């Protein structure tokens, strides 16, 4: 509903889900991503929308954003990361230059990085004066385990959690163990898995 607060962590060059939330529910959406290309992508969307020009999603040749300036005003972009603690972290580059997503964890074994400020969900909520989150989306290239553990430890329980486990494609025993453990944490804290597609999971609090 229009009063629901949504935190979407990880933007890249595709914020179509973020836009869809605003368009359908008229609710405030907060986007978190310190990646320079992601910031540039959002700034271009704002500029082109004001000009009345449709912008392509994720460099697509045939799919464009369909958001207007009034709807766009509900999107709040914050150019820092979300992590298990406050402070500056290294974000390591992906293997391929054309890929946009950087990662706090060295999942792709690269050495190139940039540094950016990160904050916990709890700290952000205090700063923004939010006492609850309706939806938390995590697309954070391997940092999801630590963030999930942190929010559960601090007692933050969004009604809905959407999370992509990036390591689902690694097929290693360690990766599978980490995913099972993280999902187990959520289930034992009152969440129920209501949707799964490859590494994407949607969970909702059981009492909802």
């Amino acid at each position: 509903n229009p009063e629901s607060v949504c935190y979407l962590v990880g933007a890249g060059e595709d914020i179509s889900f973020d836009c869809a939330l605003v368009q359908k529910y008229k609710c405030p959406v907060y986007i978190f991503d310190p990646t320079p290309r992601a910031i540039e992508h959002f700034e271009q969307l704002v500029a082109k929308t004001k000009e009345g020009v449709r912008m392509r999603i994720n460099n697509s040749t045939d799919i464009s954003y369909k958001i207007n300036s009034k709807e766009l005003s509900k999107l709040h972009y914050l150019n820092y990361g979300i992590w298990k603690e406050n402070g500056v972290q290294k974000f390591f580059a992906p293997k391929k230059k054309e890929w946009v997503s950087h990662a706090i964890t060295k999942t792709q074994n690269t050495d190139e990085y940039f540094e950016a400020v990160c904050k916990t969900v709890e700290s952000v909520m205090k700063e923004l004066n939010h006492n609850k989150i309706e939806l938390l989306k995590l697309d954070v290239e391997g940092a999801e385990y630590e963030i999930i553990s942190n929010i559960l430890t601090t007692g933050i329980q969004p009604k809905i959690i959407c999370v992509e486990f990036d390591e689902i494609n690694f097929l290693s025993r360690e990766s599978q163990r980490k995913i099972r453990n993280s999902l187990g944490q959520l289930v034992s804290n009152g969440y129920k898995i209501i949707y799964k597609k490859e590494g994407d999971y949607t969970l909702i609090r059981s009492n909802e």
Side-chain angles (χ1 to χ4, degrees), residues 63 112 125 181:
I63 308 175
E112 182 183 345
M125 290 178 67
N181 285 351

Side-chain angles (χ1 to χ4, degrees), residues 84-107:
K84 64 179 180 179
E85 58 192 16
N86 296 327
V88 175
Q89 296 292 329
K90 294 178 180 178
F91 283 76
F92 292 94
K95 284 183 178 179
K96 296 183 179 181
K97 291 290 184 183
E98 60 267 28
W99 294 350
V100 60
S101 299
H102 287 58
I104 289 179
T105 54
K106 291 188 72 172
T107 52

Side-chain angles (χ1 to χ4, degrees), residues 41-163:
H41 184 81
F42 182 78
E43 291 174 346
Q44 286 179 353
L45 176 60
V46 172
K48 290 190 176 184
T49 301
K50 287 180 179 178
E51 296 169 4
V53 178
R54 288 277 175 87
M55 179 172 163
R56 302 295 187 188
I57 298 172
N58 203 21
N59 299 313
S60 168
T61 57
D62 58 349
I63 308 175
S64 302
Y65 292 105
K66 298 177 181 178
I67 193 166
N68 60 45
S69 293
K70 184 178 180 180
E71 292 166 336
L72 200 59
S73 67
K74 290 281 189 179
L75 284 177
H76 309 280
Y77 195 105
L78 300 163
N79 60 358
Y80 51 81
I82 299 295
W83 184 231
K84 64 179 180 179
E85 58 192 16
N86 296 327
V88 175
Q89 296 292 329
K90 294 178 180 178
F91 283 76
F92 292 94
K95 284 183 178 179
K96 296 183 179 181
K97 291 290 184 183
E98 60 267 28
W99 294 350
V100 60
S101 299
H102 287 58
I104 289 179
T105 54
K106 291 188 72 172
T107 52
Q108 299 197 46
N109 297 315
T110 55
D111 295 320
E112 182 183 345
Y113 65 87
F114 70 86
E115 293 185 334
V117 171
C118 290
K119 301 180 183 182
T120 64
V121 173
E122 182 181 36
S123 294
V124 173
M125 290 178 67
K126 287 178 180 177
E127 288 179 15
L128 299 178
N129 199 28
H130 295 149
N131 56 23
K132 66 177 182 178
I133 307 172
E134 202 81 358
L135 184 150
L136 174 67
K137 189 205 79 169
L138 299 173
D139 185 356
V140 287
E141 312 303 315
E144 56 271 12
Y145 311 107
E146 299 286 3
I147 296 172
I148 287 170
S149 181
N150 175 260
I151 64 167
L152 294 177
T153 300
T154 52
I156 297 168
Q157 290 198 329
K159 180 189 288 187
I160 300 166
I161 294 178
C162 301
V163 55

Side-chain angles (χ1 to χ4, degrees), residues 163-207:
V163 55
E164 178 187 42
F165 290 103
D166 286 275
E167 291 185 308
I168 195 77
N169 296 317
F170 289 2
L171 299 178
S172 69
R173 287 186 178 181
E174 177 60 16
S175 296
Q176 300 302 317
R177 183 192 65 79
K178 287 163 66 177
I179 293 170
R180 284 196 303 271
N181 285 351
S182 193
L183 289 170
Q185 277 185 298
L186 288 165
V187 171
S188 64
N189 277 271
Y191 284 91
K192 180 181 180 180
I193 299 169
I194 60 170
Y195 178 81
K196 175 186 178 297
K197 182 180 179 182
E198 297 176 349
D200 296 331
Y201 286 79
T202 299
L203 303 97
I204 190 167
R205 284 203 315 256
S206 298
N207 60 357

